[in-house]
């Protein structure tokens, strides 16, 4: 449920040079996900306490990680597994499946929203252990 850019790409270049509609751009240029979107969609399959705890930990981010093209894509040299989250309302599963998963060595689908590490920690840990 993540971007997997190639050399010369940035996160924004992959999204039309703009943040997702649920990302707020603050006056100083930093970004912060919309709290309501996160509670309803980003952590949709987590229990209420986990959803609130995750949202409460979010902090504004500087734009550089979103706007600067990467110079090296580690997935070219390091085997990787892309986790497609089939219930993701933040990064459409079709984009995950058709754009990013083919860049990985392998992929797996989880019936999860955007944050499977919080909703299905044992399953994600098992994937990491492989």
């Amino acid at each position: 449920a993540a971007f997997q850019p190639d050399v010369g790409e940035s996160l924004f270049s992959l999204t039309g040079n703009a943040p997702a509609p649920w990302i707020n751009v603050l006056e100083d240029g930093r970004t912060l996900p919309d709290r309501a979107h996160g509670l309803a969609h980003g952590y949709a399959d987590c229990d209420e306490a986990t959803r609130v705890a995750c949202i409460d930990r979010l902090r504004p981010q500087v734009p550089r990680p979103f706007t600067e093209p990467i110079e090296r894509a580690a997935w070219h040299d390091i085997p990787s597994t892309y986790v497609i989250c089939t219930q993701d309302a933040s990064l459409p599963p079709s984009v995950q499946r058709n754009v990013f998963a083919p860049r990985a060595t392998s992929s797996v689908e989880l019936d999860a929203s955007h944050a499977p590490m919080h909703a299905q920690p044992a399953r994600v840990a098992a994937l990491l252990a492989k």
Side-chain angles (χ1 to χ4, degrees):
F3 288 90
Q4 191 162 340
D6 203 349
V7 174
E9 294 177 336
S10 70
L11 300 186
F12 278 9
S13 76
L14 293 167
T15 61
N17 290 314
W22 49 271
I23 299 288
N24 297 314
V25 178
L26 306 177
E27 287 183 21
D28 63 3
R30 294 180 301 159
T31 59
L32 185 64
D34 178 73
R35 182 178 178 87
H37 177 89
L39 288 170
H41 302 291
Y43 305 99
D45 50 346
C46 295
D47 61 66
E48 180 71 15
T50 300
R51 285 198 311 266
V52 170
C54 289
I55 290 294
D56 285 348
R57 287 186 185 103
L58 293 175
R59 298 293 181 266
Q61 292 183 282
V62 296
R64 189 173 175 191
F66 299 103
T67 60
E68 187 170 307
I70 64 168
E71 296 177 4
R72 182 173 175 266
W75 55 267
H76 283 289
D77 304 314
I78 300 170
S80 61
T81 299
Y82 189 91
V83 178
I84 300 163
C85 293
T86 62
Q87 301 303 314
D88 195 338
S90 297
L91 182 59
S94 61
V95 172
Q96 295 176 45
R97 195 176 289 114
N98 298 318
V99 177
F100 300 122
R103 297 177 176 188
T105 309
S106 62
S107 64
V108 62
E109 294 200 13
L110 294 182
D111 184 28
S113 66
H114 192 65
M117 64 282 200
H118 295 292
Q120 299 179 33
R123 179 73 195 271
V124 173
L127 288 171
L128 291 170
K130 285 184 177 181

